[in-house]
Amino acid sequence: MTAVQGTTVDLPTEDGTVDAYLAHPADGEPHPAVLLYMDAFGLRPRLTEMADRLAEAGYTVLVPNVFYRHGRAPVVELPEFIDPGARPEIFENIMPIMRALTPERAMRDAGAYLRWLADCPVAADGPVALTGYCMGARLSLLTAGTYPDRVAAAGGFHGGRLATQTPDSPHLVAGHITAELYFGHADQDPSLPVEQIERLETALTEAGVRHHCEVYPGAGHGFTQADTSAYNAEADERHWAALLDLLKRTF
């Protein structure tokens, strides 16, 4: 097993300073870079564990606290095991912060993350890969369309609101994407109903984007997050297989 080094780093954006977690093989050599977009619960031990697992597979992984405008992580106090059904105040606290992260702000930040990785000595030269979870899947899709020259592959898992009828829906960037995409949808996910799955598939196909979208049966929104009540171990392992396969094809 590859030894991994993980550290907290700060990086500048146009709007402030982002705290982030950086994980990479401990050999000091540059490795292909992966930008990991958090879910709404934010940068926490579960996400650093996921970053470490990718680093063990040979990648340099950056996990930014995309809510940095509201403070360093943890921005919202969380229990060790997250069950929003039992603790509705968790989402009550998170939702205003999520709404404040407009697509314009998020993509301005994405440029800063990508520039930082381009200068990072343990990140290999060239385009990066993305993976995102819940709201992070939306950010992954938007980043692939906003910075096509910097993104070689993008994954998204249990993403919500990927193809709405609003003018800022993420699927509308499909025509700009040059990366290969993979999406693992949860079939028990009210934030991504069948009509949005079909709308996303149509947009990617019509734009000629290399992509593969799958619906994971029996999986709910958040199925990769082992510290939450939504966790589904079988779907999570399927996600890891798909993500690592995408990265192997990319790099």
Side-chain angles (χ1 to χ4, degrees):
M1 184 179 294
T2 302
V4 168
Q5 182 175 343
T7 54
T8 298
V9 296
D10 287 350
L11 54 123
T13 75
E14 294 177 39
D15 297 337
T17 300
V18 179
D19 54 306
Y21 180 73
L22 181 71
H24 56 89
D27 57 10
E29 298 296 321
H31 293 269
V34 178
L35 174 59
L36 191 159
Y37 276 125
M38 63 185 226
D39 63 352
F41 297 129
L43 181 54
R44 61 193 192 283
R46 172 56 182 169
L47 291 188
T48 62
E49 290 168 7
M50 295 173 74
D52 288 349
R53 181 164 173 174
L54 285 173
E56 286 176 359
Y59 303 101
T60 290
V61 187
L62 180 70
V63 191
N65 166 25
V66 303
F67 292 158
Y68 72 93
R69 290 176 180 83
H70 302 269
R72 298 179 71 86
V75 176
V76 174
E77 185 177 346
L78 297 170
E80 194 170 318
F81 181 78
I82 304 167
D83 182 355
R87 297 278 302 275
E89 73 277 6
I90 295 174
F91 266 125
E92 291 171 6
N93 293 331
I94 290 173
M95 289 306 295
I97 299 172
M98 287 181 63
R99 284 193 288 267
L101 185 65
T102 62
E104 180 186 19
R105 286 177 173 175
M107 290 306 96
R108 194 159 68 230
D109 293 343
Y113 308 150
L114 294 170
R115 286 191 298 273
W116 191 89
L117 283 169
D119 294 334
C120 178
V122 293
D125 292 339
V128 309
L130 316 171
T131 186
Y133 302 88
C134 299
M135 59 167 277
R138 195 161 67 247
L139 298 178
S140 184
L141 178 56
L142 283 169
T143 303
T146 306
Y147 299 95
D149 59 327
R150 291 287 294 126
V151 179
F157 299 90
H158 46 79
R161 302 182 69 251
L162 296 177
T164 68
Q165 293 182 303
T166 61
D168 60 356
S169 177
H171 79 289
L172 297 175
V173 304
H176 302 289
I177 293 172
T178 57
E180 179 180 351
L181 305 188
Y182 175 90
F183 286 96
H185 305 309
D187 77 339
Q188 310 290 319
D189 191 349
S191 70
L192 195 75
V194 172
E195 59 267 26
Q196 286 197 42
I197 292 174
E198 293 174 348
R199 192 178 293 131
L200 175 64
E201 178 71 33
T202 298
L204 296 176
T205 300
E206 290 182 350
V209 177
R210 291 169 297 145
H211 71 280
H212 189 53
C213 299
E214 296 182 301
V215 177
Y216 291 18
H221 185 75
F223 61 75
T224 62
Q225 300 304 304
D227 60 350
T228 76
S229 55
Y231 184 62
N232 181 309
E234 182 179 351
D236 183 31
E237 285 308 308
R238 183 176 175 181
H239 133 261
W240 279 112
L243 176 58
L244 291 171
D245 189 48
L246 175 67
L247 296 178
K248 285 176 185 174
R249 289 197 304 275
T250 303
F251 297 119

